Amino acid sequence: MAAHHSTKVEALTSTWTTPQPGISPGCTAFLAFSTETDLSLPSIYVPHLGEESYNNMWQKSRSIWKYIYKFYRNEFDWFLLGGDDMYYIMENLYAYLESPEIIEERNKGQGVYLGRKLQYPSLYHPFPFNSGGSGYLLDQIALEKLATHLDTEACHPRIHQSQEDVLVALCLQSLSLEPFDTRDSFGRLRFHILSPGFSYRYRPSYHHNNLSSPSLDQDWYAVFDSLIQIGMNCCSIDSIAFHLIYPDIHIMHDIHRFIYHCPSKKKEEYYQLKGKEYFDRYLQ
């Protein structure tokens, strides 16, 4: 949305998306998809079917992926799509993309689809998908598979709803491509759909190993992932992405500053300045 250019988009471009020599590598390129084109950001308006609303995210996502494929498919090896409230530790992402397990997967030539893998509960056909909360990545082959099949019936081209991440997964599944397991060797997550503090402090209030009859009213997170680890085991030391990093109340700037600009000695002062509740919730 154009109204967020000076707040949420600015928070992205002044933190993790932009290369900062000697501090953080940033993205190779960044583009905000908005209701208004502003090349100084840069942002671009891409029309889509239906209204501009959260409940129509699938149609917006379809247009975005088509645009990326048309103009950038040969420019980059990987393509990351996500919202304005995610934060990426880019050096960890680059290291992971260059790791032997990802290189081996890419060399199979079938496409690679990375992110926070969840299991969509269904009475008849539960299936895996990558949550859009912390963003998801496609390599060139996966991008081509998705973009060239978005208008097929298997990819539900006329649906208007918010769950674009689920529908991307269904489309790719129809093309024999499923989410890659991005956990580390200890089963800890690299991509997180919560903030650092919430990820650490989360405790499931409902845990059900049988996804054939889940109750979403009790604890949707535990229903969507029966392998959640808690406490210090929540997060890989090589964690890549976090979600619910609200840019409009400066949390994105604070996390970026905490990671890259706070020497250990200053972190205690930062803790005292911000307060225990803020630190526990967002930064711990």
Side-chain angles (χ1 to χ4, degrees), residues 214-244:
S215 173
L216 298 182
D217 295 332
Q218 297 181 62
D219 188 341
W220 71 266
Y221 192 18
V223 169
F224 277 69
D225 186 354
S226 62
L227 300 175
I228 298 171
Q229 299 195 64
I230 61 175
M232 291 299 290
N233 290 322
C234 73
C235 309
S236 172
I237 194 171
D238 303 315
S239 284
I240 292 168
F242 291 93
H243 181 218
L244 303 179

Side-chain angles (χ1 to χ4, degrees), residues 74-266:
N74 296 318
E75 300 296 319
F76 307 101
D77 296 321
W78 292 93
F79 305 86
L80 166 63
L81 181 64
D84 55 22
D85 60 349
M86 65 183 192
Y87 183 91
Y88 270 66
I89 303 173
M90 290 302 296
E91 56 266 48
N92 288 355
L93 175 60
Y94 289 132
Y96 184 54
L97 297 180
E98 294 169 4
S99 67
E101 65 177 302
I102 298 301
I103 290 173
E104 179 183 359
E105 191 66 17
R106 287 197 74 195
N107 286 342
K108 294 176 183 177
Q110 301 301 309
V112 186
Y113 169 37
L114 302 175
R116 172 60 171 103
K117 184 178 178 180
L118 296 172
Q119 186 81 357
Y120 194 84
S122 169
L123 290 175
Y124 305 105
H125 180 54
F127 60 90
F129 72 103
N130 283 325
S131 170
S134 54
Y136 53 92
L137 295 102
L138 304 178
D139 71 352
Q140 285 184 331
I141 294 174
L143 170 65
E144 181 169 7
K145 283 186 172 183
L146 177 67
T148 57
H149 288 82
L150 280 169
D151 290 328
T152 65
E153 289 303 313
C155 294
H156 307 284
R158 289 177 290 279
I159 286 180
H160 296 261
Q161 65 152 276
S162 62
Q163 292 181 308
E164 62 89 21
D165 48 4
V166 172
L167 288 162
V168 162
L170 282 174
C171 183
L172 291 173
Q173 185 183 66
S174 73
L175 302 166
S176 302
L177 179 58
E178 293 197 349
F180 185 77
D181 186 353
T182 57
R183 293 173 298 170
D184 69 13
S185 59
F186 297 99
R188 300 172 303 190
L189 297 170
R190 288 186 170 96
F191 294 80
H192 307 276
I193 57 174
L194 303 173
S195 68
F198 277 125
S199 295
Y200 172 70
R201 305 185 80 80
Y202 170 78
R203 298 295 182 274
S205 59
Y206 172 73
H207 200 86
H208 200 306
N209 289 324
N210 180 7
L211 290 177
S212 64
S213 58
S215 173
L216 298 182
D217 295 332
Q218 297 181 62
D219 188 341
W220 71 266
Y221 192 18
V223 169
F224 277 69
D225 186 354
S226 62
L227 300 175
I228 298 171
Q229 299 195 64
I230 61 175
M232 291 299 290
N233 290 322
C234 73
C235 309
S236 172
I237 194 171
D238 303 315
S239 284
I240 292 168
F242 291 93
H243 181 218
L244 303 179
I245 311 301
Y246 304 111
D248 46 344
I249 52 176
H250 309 299
I251 296 169
M252 190 168 295
H253 285 101
D254 287 343
I255 285 185
H256 193 73
R257 189 177 301 115
F258 192 78
I259 292 173
Y260 296 106
H261 299 283
C262 275
S264 298
K265 186 171 170 180
K266 292 283 185 184

